[in-house]
């Protein structure tokens, strides 16, 4: 196996899952986003999104704050420093693999 | 990076001007600036003129420090219950934005100092110079947020500036007119965008959130 393929096999599987990588990509670009925004962007059901966010929170990649805006509940998601680092490493691994692959 | 990941990132950044609220606020401020400038020029040395001079400083500082806060508060009532809540990293961390802001401010400052110190007739070109500066900011916003309406506003600003210079109006009248018209166009653009956004995004029905 080439080193590029080996680097791809070493990617963080938690980040590599498509829905979670989209969640992390969004949270990497902004300071915070709420559950409703992430749900609209990912197209996931509430239950599925909740499961993915829980996994990312358990890994320490995302910080979830449950609060209220007036009477409306608000679930705010923020990427942690660890999350930014993991996503950056993942992005570089993926980029390297794509650059070294013939179309 | 894979386009599948770039697109949601880009959409997240483009989400800020999606509802036109920021244009509405900028439109109100530009219109207020036009009114203040006009009244000051019409009544030089009067108490009202002095009060408005102080008011303009407060306006500039208020927008600089609290503009984003005001927009966020408005969005909390209009946008976020409909399509979600997003907060952004400070744009002052982006070196490109800082460079553009400093560059435009330096050019404006240089123009004002030059026209004040050298009794030049270049001041008559004020509206077109302002149109150029406004255009640069609008083009930058259009490029950053991927919103073509900002390019149109940039073109309109330049057109108004050029039109006012060609018309030969006195600067005391042409400059407030320039800001007044641009303020009105920004208000119109913001209102239309907000109206379109509210129509296409009704508030989702409230249900017990199962993610809580």
């Amino acid at each position: 196996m080439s080193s590029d393929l080996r680097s791809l096999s070493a990617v963080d599987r938690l980040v590599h899952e498509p829905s979670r990588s989209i969640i992390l990509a969004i949270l990497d670009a902004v300071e915070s986003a709420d559950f409703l925004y992430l749900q609209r962007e990912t197209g996931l059901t509430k239950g599925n999104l909740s499961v993915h966010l829980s996994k990312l929170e358990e890994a320490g990649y995302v910080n979830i704050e449950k609060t209220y805006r007036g009477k409306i509940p608000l679930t705010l998601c923020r990427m942690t420093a660890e999350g930014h680092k993991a996503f950056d490493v993942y992005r570089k691994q993926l980029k390297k693999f794509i650059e070294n692959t013939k179309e | 990076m894979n386009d599948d990941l770039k697109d949601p990132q880009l959409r997240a950044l483009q989400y800020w001007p999606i509802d036109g609220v920021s244009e509405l606020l900028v439109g109100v401020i530009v219109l207020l600036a036009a009114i203040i400038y006009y009244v000051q020029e019409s009544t030089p040395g009067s108490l009202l003129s002095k009060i408005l001079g102080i008011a303009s400083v407060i306006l500039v500082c208020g927008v600089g420090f609290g503009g984003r806060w005001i927009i966020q508060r408005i969005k909390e009532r209009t946008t976020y219950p409909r399509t979600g809540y997003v907060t952004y990293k400070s744009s002052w961390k982006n070196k490109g934005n800082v460079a553009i802001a400093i560059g435009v401010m330096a050019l404006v400052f240089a123009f004002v100092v030059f026209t004040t110190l050298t009794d030049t007739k270049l001041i008559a070109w004020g509206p077109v110079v302002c149109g150029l500066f406004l255009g640069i900011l609008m083009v930058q916003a259009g490029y950053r947020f991927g919103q073509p309406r900002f390019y149109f506003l940039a073109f309109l600003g330049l057109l108004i500036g050029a039109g006012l210079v060609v018309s030969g109006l006195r600067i005391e009248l042409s400059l407030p007119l320039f800001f007044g018209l641009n303020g009105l166009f920004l208000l119109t653009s913001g209102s239309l965008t907000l109206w379109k956004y509210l129509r296409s995004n009704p508030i989702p029905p409230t249900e017990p959130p199962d993610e809580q």
Side-chain angles (χ1 to χ4, degrees):
Chain A
M1 194 165 28
S2 76
S3 63
D4 294 327
L5 272 176
R6 262 201 303 276
S7 75
L8 188 68
S9 67
V11 294
D12 189 337
R13 295 296 169 103
L14 198 78
V15 183
H16 193 52
E17 200 282 328
S19 301
R20 286 196 288 271
S21 61
I22 292 173
I23 294 169
L24 289 174
I26 294 167
L27 294 177
D28 188 53
V30 300
E31 191 181 81
S32 69
D34 78 342
F35 196 90
L36 175 62
Y37 182 82
L38 291 174
Q39 198 191 352
R40 284 176 62 97
E41 273 299 314
T42 56
L44 293 168
T45 62
K46 281 186 175 183
N48 276 341
L49 178 59
S50 193
V51 169
H52 286 306
L53 283 174
S54 298
K55 284 184 181 173
L56 290 170
E57 191 184 25
E58 277 169 28
Y61 292 168
V62 165
N63 191 329
I64 299 171
E65 182 193 350
K66 286 172 183 174
T67 178
Y68 281 87
R69 287 273 159 196
K71 289 178 181 173
I72 304 163
L74 184 74
T75 305
L76 265 184
C77 308
R78 270 192 188 86
M79 208 169 184
T80 61
E82 208 177 320
H84 280 294
K85 201 175 157 187
F87 186 68
D88 199 41
V89 169
Y90 170 73
R91 196 167 51 184
K92 280 175 185 161
Q93 285 173 321
L94 210 63
K95 196 176 173 187
K96 193 177 170 194
F97 175 75
I98 290 166
E99 276 171 2
N100 294 331
T101 312
K102 279 186 181 174
E103 283 196 27
Chain B
M1 197 189 339
N2 193 319
D3 281 348
D4 290 346
L5 295 183
K6 264 187 184 172
D7 288 347
Q9 286 194 315
L10 197 64
R11 275 200 302 276
L13 296 175
Q14 290 172 348
Y15 188 59
W16 176 254
I18 200 169
D19 51 11
V21 172
S22 41
E23 273 153 275
L24 275 173
L25 188 81
V26 174
V28 168
I29 288 154
V30 171
L31 205 58
L32 275 176
I35 293 166
I36 289 173
Y37 185 80
Y38 179 71
V39 175
Q40 275 192 309
E41 287 297 325
S42 321
T43 57
S46 69
L47 180 67
L48 180 66
S49 171
K50 285 171 188 164
I51 292 169
L52 286 175
I54 297 166
S56 62
V57 175
I58 295 169
L59 187 73
V60 169
C61 293
V63 171
F65 292 107
R68 199 166 165 156
W69 183 85
I70 296 168
I71 293 170
Q72 278 282 12
R73 298 291 87 78
I74 299 169
K75 278 173 176 281
E76 276 173 19
R77 290 176 182 275
T78 56
T79 315
Y80 299 147
R82 288 175 161 80
T83 48
Y85 183 91
V86 176
T87 57
Y88 294 88
K89 295 168 187 167
S90 170
S91 52
W92 293 110
K93 284 177 187 166
N94 186 322
K95 284 177 187 167
N97 289 344
V98 175
I100 289 171
I102 291 173
V104 169
M105 277 194 285
L107 283 172
V108 172
F109 184 71
F111 180 74
V112 171
V113 169
F114 181 72
T115 50
T116 310
L117 294 181
T118 61
D119 191 25
T120 175
K121 287 183 178 174
L122 205 68
I123 191 73
W125 286 80
V128 84
V129 173
C130 288
L132 200 64
F133 293 147
L134 190 73
I136 293 170
L137 295 175
M138 285 292 165
V139 166
Q140 197 258 346
Y143 175 75
R144 187 176 169 212
F145 297 123
Q147 300 284 344
R149 68 178 191 273
F150 287 117
Y151 297 126
F152 180 67
L153 286 169
F155 172 72
L156 219 55
L158 203 59
L159 199 70
I160 293 167
L164 286 169
V165 169
V166 169
S167 75
L169 277 174
R170 285 181 303 116
I171 191 72
E172 294 82 10
L173 200 63
S174 65
L175 216 49
L177 208 56
F178 170 82
F179 286 114
L181 286 172
N182 274 295
L184 282 177
F185 281 124
L186 279 164
L187 276 174
T188 309
S189 165
S191 305
L192 284 173
T193 310
L194 183 62
W195 177 74
K196 243 171 86 178
Y197 169 81
L198 294 177
R199 263 177 71 97
S200 51
N201 295 289
I203 295 179
T206 47
E207 51 183 286
D210 63 18
E211 88 278 74
Q212 295 292 314

